[in-house]
């Protein structure tokens, strides 16, 4: 059953044919969404390969297929493969070698259970990410040896659009987010409109909201039907002393003609024209006299009462216009993507309509083209319906179209099905695979793979020292006996309790008449509060001392020194305009490399905290002093939780114990640990962490190195894995990244 749609003062009616309005010109808006391409163009001539300062994987989890993307790109570069969809590898042609260490039998749980023992790994690699539990052959997955990827119906050009042939490969359409939202049958225009609740979630300007007090309504309050006219809207913005302001607006009617195309002079001083996105320059704006109020007046005249505005990230356009409009279709939300992510307009134009827009050789976007494209995308959705869109399997295409478009369908198929071994073979190179003799894998018998089987982990290590320098691509696999199901369960429980204790603040004493609401408000100003318990029958307030909390202070100090946290600060109480304010005063924050603004995965709304990463610890400390001072009035500290750990901790159940409760280790764990006579897990973590560290130090400069703890999967349950990544002696980043 469809959810009830919320729309005040409007009546939805069905009709047969949509009314169209005559037309005249252009618009474009999608600033900051092409940052990766811009960043690479802005880089000076490189001397060393390097990775981006932050990983762009949603929820910090990287699939095995995405790992394969990176490895293939590392071998052949962008001349043959698109860039990885989840991270940025700059100057791939300066990579010397690729080495992958696999610690079979270990997981993310093991890493954080023995965090202090894995000293080298946590300090040497600042890029860490989660891995899903492994399949039956983890190695084959990350190398691309599994049976050909199911990519659905691949597109073929047909009358100017990319249509998909009838499916020969089974796709589970019911799991497609578009089907889950709209169903499989065709829908009318009114079903595609954002509800008031959705507009609120995605920060559209709405009547009566405190941040929209000076916004002007379009006066479009007529009854919307499936016949109502569509208008494509696109705006260009610049950055002024007061934030983003409008510099150009284009309004295109459904027939494709432009009814409005105006350059607009901002009211405040311009600090950045954002020319690479907008195409607007100082020279272009100099003779312009049109102001924002003139544009608002024209729009109110041009739009009929039942007009529906169509755009891509339309909330940004309406905020630049400082106008409120109740009926909108946002193509970045219409074509629903997994986990709240959004497809770029450029990608949708190519994949759905078969047209190239926003070409990199042009200065800025063609506003007319972008506005018309959003209209065409909306009409395509209405004409063919959700099922047709789902059959296109856009997610699979998006992962392989990041940098350059393959020339034809066959090329897409070939790229998606090529393994790392085939990539190496194409350049006359071989892969080295070192493993224990008992560990079977499809890779061992593969063509173009030099496999050396050893009797023990120690022999694997000795062979690695000798063989790795002789091969451009090496995989070194160590195998560890997995913990028993009982021990794994006990470890999982204990580590959850331990992290919960570390995240618990003990404050007091309080009297019986204390204001609980004010107290909770105070704690929430430091960050999200999961739960709060008031204990009145106590006189001493301190963290309970148990076996699990003895090393808490040491662990906190080591977390602060983690390479992923070094130079990173945590801030609480940030507003929606924090990013813009920070950019306006960027001269105060020298060495800023990345801004991480976490989003709620369900609503897509920014949370009220963020992380800022700086080039040095000193830069981070100076920024922290400024941001927690009297002018900014934020609360913050040096970061303790890397992104992947932060995501993992969010999923932990609510564990809480009252002060003074003594924790006794479960007998099952004590017995299990005593049985592990040869390789006590704690000693093994310390021992092999050091051994791999020595191997790493012997690698040549410019080597891409990955440490993979694949995770475990059994009938008793699954544990997610962990990946660590870095380039030996990589050049530090100096270009800020904004993770939206």
């Amino acid at each position: 059953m469809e959810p009830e749609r919320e729309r005040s003062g409007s009546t939805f009616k069905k009709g047969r044919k949509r009314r169209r309005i005559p037309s005249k010109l252009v618009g474009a808006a999608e600033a900051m969404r092409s940052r990766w391409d811009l960043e690479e163009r802005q880089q000076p001539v490189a001397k060393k390969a390097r990775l981006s300062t932050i990983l762009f994987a949603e929820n910090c989890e990287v699939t095995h297929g995405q790992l394969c993307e990176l490895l293939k790109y590392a071998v052949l570069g962008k001349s043959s493969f698109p860039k990885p969809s989840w991270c940025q590898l700059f100057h791939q042609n300066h990579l010397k070698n690729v080495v992958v260490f696999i610690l079979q039998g270990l997981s993310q749980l093991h890493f954080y259970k023995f965090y202090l023992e894995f000293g080298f790994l946590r300090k040497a690699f600042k890029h860490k990410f989660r891995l899903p539990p492994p399949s039956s052959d983890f190695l084959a997955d990350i190398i691309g040896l599994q049976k050909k990827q199911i990519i659905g119906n691949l597109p073929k050009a047909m009358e100017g659009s990319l249509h998909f042939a009838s499916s020969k490969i089974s796709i589970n359409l019911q799991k497609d987010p578009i089907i889950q939202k709209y169903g499989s049958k065709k829908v009318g225009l009114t079903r595609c409109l954002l509800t008031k609740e959705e507009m609120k979630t995605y920060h559209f300007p709405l009547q009566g909201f405190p941040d929209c007090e000076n916004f002007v309504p379009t006066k479009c309050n007529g009854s919307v039907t499936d016949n109502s006219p569509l208008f494509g809207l696109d705006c260009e913005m610049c950055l002024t002393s007061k934030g983003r302001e409008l510099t150009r607006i284009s309004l295109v009617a459904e027939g494709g003609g432009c009814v409005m195309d105006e350059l607009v002079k901002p009211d405040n001083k311009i600090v950045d024209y954002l020319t690479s996105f907008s195409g607007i320059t100082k020279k272009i704006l100099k003779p312009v006299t049109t102001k924002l109020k003139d544009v608002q007046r024209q729009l109110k005249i041009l739009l009929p009462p039942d007009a529906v505005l169509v755009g891509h990230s339309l909330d940004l356009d309406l905020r630049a216009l400082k106008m409120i409009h109740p009926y909108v279709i946002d193509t970045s939300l219409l074509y629903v993507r997994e986990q709240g992510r959004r497809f770029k307009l450029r990608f949708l134009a190519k994949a759905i309509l078969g047209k190239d827009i926003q070409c990199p050789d042009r200065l800025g976007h063609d506003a007319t083209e972008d506005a018309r494209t959003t209209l065409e995308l909306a009409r395509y959705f209405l004409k063919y319906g959700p099922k047709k869109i789902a059959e296109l399997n856009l997610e699979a295409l998006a992962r392989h179209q990041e940098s350059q478009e393959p020339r034809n369908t066959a090329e897409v198929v070939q790229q998606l099905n090529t393994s790392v071994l085939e990539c190496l073979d194409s350049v006359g190179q071989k892969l080295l695979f070192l493993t224990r003799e008992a560990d079977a894998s499809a890779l061992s018998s593969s063509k173009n793979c030099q496999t050396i089987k050893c009797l023990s982990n120690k022999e694997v290590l000795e062979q690695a020292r000798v063989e790795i320098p002789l091969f451009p691509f090496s995989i070194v696999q160590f195998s560890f006996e997995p913990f028993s199901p009982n021990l794994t369960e006990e470890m999982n429980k204990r580590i959850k309790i331990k992290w919960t204790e570390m995240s618990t603040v003990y404050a007091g004493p309080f009297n019986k008449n204390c204001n609980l609401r004010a107290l909770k408000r105070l704690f929430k100003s430091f960050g999200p509060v999961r739960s709060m318990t008031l204990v009145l029958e106590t006189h001493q307030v301190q963290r309970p001392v148990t076996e699990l909390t003895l090393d808490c202070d040491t662990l906190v100090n080591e977390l602060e020194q983690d390479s992923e946290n070094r130079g990173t600060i945590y801030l609480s109480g940030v507003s929606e305009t924090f990013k813009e304010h920070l950019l306006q005063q960027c001269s105060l924050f020298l060495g800023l490399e990345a801004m991480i603004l976490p989003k709620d995965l369900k609503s897509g709304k920014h949370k009220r905290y963020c992380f800022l990463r700086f080039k040095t610890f000193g830069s981070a400390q100076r920024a922290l002093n400024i941001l927690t001072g009297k002018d900014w009035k934020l609360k913050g500290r040096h970061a303790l939780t890397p992104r992947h750990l932060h995501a993992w901790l969010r999923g932990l159940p609510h564990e809480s114990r009252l002060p003074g409760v003594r924790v006794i280790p479960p007998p099952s764990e004590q017995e299990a640990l005593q049985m592990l006579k040869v390789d006590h897990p704690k000693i093994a973590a310390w021992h092999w962490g050091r051994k791999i560290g020595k191997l790493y130090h012997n690698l040549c400069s410019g080597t891409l190195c990955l440490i993979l703890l694949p995770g475990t999967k059994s009938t008793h349950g699954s544990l997610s894995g962990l990946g660590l990544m870095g380039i030996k002696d990589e050049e530090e980043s100096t270009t800020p990244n904004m993770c939206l």
Side-chain angles (χ1 to χ4, degrees):
M1 189 167 70
E2 284 189 4
E4 183 180 351
R5 299 184 64 78
E6 188 176 344
R7 185 75 63 185
S8 58
S10 64
T11 306
F12 295 152
K13 301 176 183 177
K14 292 187 177 180
R16 293 185 180 177
K17 193 172 181 181
R18 190 161 55 256
R19 181 162 54 90
R20 294 186 178 182
I21 299 291
S23 29
K24 291 182 190 176
L25 184 78
V26 170
E30 229 199 44
M32 307 302 289
R33 292 205 184 268
S34 304
R35 183 160 187 94
W36 282 5
D37 294 333
L38 173 65
E39 185 180 23
E40 179 139 278
R41 291 199 300 270
Q42 288 178 338
Q43 299 304 315
V45 177
K47 295 181 181 178
K48 294 182 181 179
R50 67 176 179 83
L51 289 159
S52 59
T53 54
I54 54 175
L55 304 180
F56 288 77
E58 287 292 327
N59 208 23
C60 308
E61 183 170 281
V62 176
T63 67
H64 304 147
Q66 288 173 322
L67 266 182
C68 188
E69 281 179 11
L70 172 65
L71 296 177
K72 288 191 287 188
Y73 183 76
V75 173
L76 292 182
K78 65 181 179 183
S79 60
S80 302
F81 283 93
K83 297 176 185 177
S85 60
W86 58 281
C87 69
Q88 187 78 317
L89 172 59
F90 294 106
H91 319 307
Q92 169 275 341
N93 56 324
H94 288 273
L95 276 180
K96 297 293 188 287
N97 296 307
V98 178
V99 179
V100 181
F101 293 103
I102 298 176
L103 309 186
Q104 195 70 40
L106 301 189
S107 66
Q108 184 169 217
L109 173 64
H110 296 79
F111 185 80
Y112 282 107
K113 171 67 177 175
F114 307 115
Y115 181 80
L116 297 177
E117 285 67 40
F118 280 117
F120 165 76
L121 298 185
R122 57 185 165 83
K123 290 179 180 177
F125 297 94
K126 70 176 182 179
H127 304 288
K128 302 181 183 75
F129 48 89
R130 290 196 309 176
L131 291 169
S135 65
S136 57
D137 197 338
F138 173 77
L139 258 176
D141 287 343
I142 66 169
I143 295 300
L145 289 180
Q146 293 287 55
K147 56 187 178 182
K148 303 303 183 181
Q149 275 186 307
I150 296 176
I151 52 175
N153 304 317
L154 286 170
K156 60 179 182 179
M158 189 189 304
E159 298 178 354
S161 297
L162 289 186
H163 294 284
F164 280 67
S166 57
S167 178
K168 295 181 181 179
I169 302 174
S170 176
I171 308 172
N172 189 348
L173 295 181
Q174 297 308 312
K175 290 187 177 181
D176 191 285
I178 290 180
I179 297 294
Q180 290 179 348
K181 179 171 182 179
Y182 297 103
S184 56
K185 295 182 180 179
K186 291 183 182 180
V187 296
L189 181 152
T190 53
R191 180 68 178 86
C192 299
L193 296 175
L194 291 181
T195 64
K196 186 175 180 180
E197 192 58 39
E198 286 174 324
M199 292 177 75
K200 180 180 177 181
T201 297
Y202 295 110
H203 309 298
F204 277 78
L206 292 170
Q207 198 86 40
F209 276 58
D211 60 341
C212 303
E213 290 176 355
N214 299 320
F215 281 40
V216 177
T218 57
K219 300 296 184 185
C220 294
N221 51 12
S223 296
V224 176
T225 70
D226 287 341
N227 300 332
S228 293
L230 301 176
F231 290 84
L233 175 68
D234 207 1
C235 296
E236 298 295 351
M237 284 79 85
C238 68
L239 199 60
T240 72
S241 58
K242 296 293 184 180
R244 285 190 206 158
E245 291 192 46
L246 184 71
T247 52
R248 185 174 187 175
I249 174 177
S250 291
L251 188 71
V252 178
E254 200 168 347
C258 184
V259 295
M260 183 179 180
D261 180 39
E262 292 284 350
L263 291 170
V264 184
K265 180 157 285 186
D267 294 326
N268 298 289
K269 182 181 177 182
I270 298 176
V271 295
D272 190 342
Y273 285 86
L274 302 177
T275 305
S276 57
F277 299 108
S278 66
I280 304 295
T281 63
K282 182 177 181 179
K283 184 178 179 181
I284 291 173
L285 276 189
K286 189 173 182 180
V288 176
T289 58
T290 304
K291 290 288 191 177
L292 178 62
K293 61 182 180 181
D294 302 318
V295 170
Q296 292 171 337
R297 192 181 308 113
Q298 288 184 58
L299 273 177
K300 289 169 70 174
I301 295 171
L302 283 170
L303 294 175
D306 61 341
V308 175
L309 293 180
V310 182
H312 200 80
S313 297
L314 194 55
D315 55 306
L316 300 177
D317 300 317
L318 289 172
R319 287 193 174 276
L321 286 166
K322 292 190 176 180
M323 296 192 79
I324 295 171
H325 187 80
Y327 314 125
V328 297
I329 295 176
D330 192 322
T331 50
S332 72
L333 300 171
L334 182 68
Y335 288 83
V336 190
R337 196 175 182 185
E338 295 174 354
Q339 296 181 328
R341 292 176 290 172
R342 304 192 192 190
F343 293 113
K344 293 182 180 180
L345 181 61
R346 180 183 177 188
F347 166 76
L348 289 175
K350 182 68 175 177
I352 304 294
L353 308 173
K355 58 192 281 188
D356 294 301
I357 66 169
Q358 300 175 358
C359 298
D361 56 345
R362 289 198 305 233
L363 183 63
H365 301 170
D366 183 333
T368 307
E369 188 174 56
D370 287 0
R372 286 181 181 143
T373 299
T374 60
L375 278 176
E376 290 174 29
L377 286 170
R379 283 160 47 195
Y380 187 98
F381 194 97
L382 292 169
K383 181 177 180 180
Y384 293 104
K387 184 179 178 183
K388 183 76 172 178
I389 307 299
E391 288 172 352
L392 304 183
N393 205 348
L394 296 174
E395 191 67 45
L397 287 176
R399 290 197 298 265
H400 299 275
Q401 233 169 323
E402 193 59 45
S403 62
Q404 61 181 43
E405 300 292 338
R407 295 180 183 177
N408 51 47
T409 302
E411 205 169 315
V412 178
V413 177
Q414 185 180 3
Q415 288 183 356
L416 293 180
N417 289 281
T418 302
S419 71
V420 172
L421 287 170
E422 290 168 319
C423 293
L424 288 166
D425 188 49
S426 69
V427 290
Q429 297 175 342
K430 271 193 171 186
L431 182 147
L432 170 68
F433 179 40
L434 287 166
T435 186
R436 293 201 319 188
E437 197 166 321
D439 300 323
S441 170
L443 183 61
S444 305
S445 56
S446 297
K447 178 186 175 183
N448 202 44
C449 176
Q450 179 68 48
T451 301
I452 300 177
K453 295 185 178 180
C454 306
L455 295 176
S456 65
N457 283 338
K458 184 178 179 180
E459 189 180 339
V460 170
L461 184 72
E462 291 169 351
Q463 289 288 338
R465 290 195 189 103
V466 177
E467 300 292 339
I468 284 177
L470 306 178
F471 289 82
F473 196 112
S474 305
I475 295 179
V476 181
Q477 179 171 269
F478 300 100
S479 296
F480 301 93
E481 194 66 31
F483 294 153
S484 67
N486 287 341
L487 177 55
T488 299
E489 185 180 354
E490 296 299 343
M491 282 177 61
N492 215 359
K493 287 179 182 177
R494 288 162 64 83
I495 201 168
K496 286 177 180 179
I497 293 172
K498 182 166 188 170
W499 285 106
T500 302
E501 286 290 0
M502 289 178 61
S503 305
T504 302
V505 175
Y506 294 88
F510 300 106
N511 61 44
K512 293 183 179 181
N513 299 320
C514 69
N515 189 327
L516 286 178
R517 186 173 295 178
L519 196 60
K520 190 167 186 177
R521 191 162 54 244
L522 172 65
F523 282 118
K524 285 183 73 174
S525 68
F526 291 92
V529 175
R530 176 167 278 186
S531 64
M532 192 170 79
T533 305
L534 189 64
V535 182
L536 297 177
E537 297 178 2
T538 183
H539 301 286
Q540 186 177 5
V541 180
Q542 66 176 48
R543 184 188 303 280
V545 179
T546 69
E547 183 207 358
L548 291 178
T549 61
L550 279 174
D551 61 353
C552 273
D553 290 339
T554 303
L555 193 53
V556 167
N557 291 333
E558 290 299 322
L559 277 168
E560 203 166 34
Q561 299 303 315
D562 190 296
S563 59
E564 201 170 358
N565 290 331
R566 187 78 176 161
T568 302
I569 61 175
Y570 164 81
L571 296 171
S572 177
V574 299
S575 64
E576 293 178 9
T577 58
F578 172 75
K579 182 176 143 187
E580 292 177 358
H581 292 162
L582 193 75
L583 288 172
Q584 290 168 20
Q585 301 188 44
C586 57
S587 59
L588 295 175
F589 306 103
L590 299 178
L592 177 63
E593 289 185 325
M595 179 191 300
I596 302 164
L597 297 163
K599 284 185 179 180
D600 185 284
L601 293 178
K602 291 183 179 179
S603 67
K605 190 175 180 179
H606 282 301
K607 298 188 176 181
R608 291 186 58 80
Y609 63 89
C610 75
F611 296 88
L612 299 182
R613 176 176 289 173
F614 291 85
K615 188 176 177 65
T616 65
F617 181 83
S619 298
Q621 184 62 58
R622 285 191 293 273
L624 186 60
N625 292 339
I626 294 171
L627 292 166
T628 55
K630 62 179 181 180
D631 293 331
W632 291 77
K633 297 180 181 178
L634 297 174
K635 291 183 172 63
R637 60 153 297 144
H638 290 284
L640 291 178
T641 49
R643 291 185 72 207
H644 66 279
L645 175 58
H646 186 66
W648 187 44
L649 293 178
R650 282 203 308 265
L652 297 184
H654 295 212
E655 300 273 4
S656 180
R657 298 196 310 279
L658 300 181
V661 177
R662 183 166 175 262
V663 178
I664 301 173
S668 57
E669 181 180 6
Q670 291 178 335
E671 294 166 6
L673 288 177
Q674 289 170 5
M675 291 173 64
L676 298 172
K677 297 176 182 178
V678 180
D679 256 357
H680 187 291
K682 193 169 186 176
I683 297 172
W686 176 83
H687 176 76
W688 287 103
R690 284 181 52 127
K691 294 293 184 185
I692 293 172
K694 288 181 180 179
L695 264 182
Y696 178 80
H697 286 306
N698 290 331
L699 299 177
C700 67
S701 180
T703 297
L704 172 63
C705 183
L706 287 89
I707 312 286
L708 303 179
L709 287 66
T712 61
K713 193 170 187 178
S714 70
T715 54
H716 300 283
S718 302
L719 294 176
S720 58
L722 182 72
L724 302 93
M725 178 171 68
I727 296 176
K728 179 78 181 298
D729 301 328
E730 72 176 284
E731 185 177 61
E732 291 294 336
S733 168
T734 55
T735 304
N737 286 305
M738 301 302 161
C739 187
L740 304 177

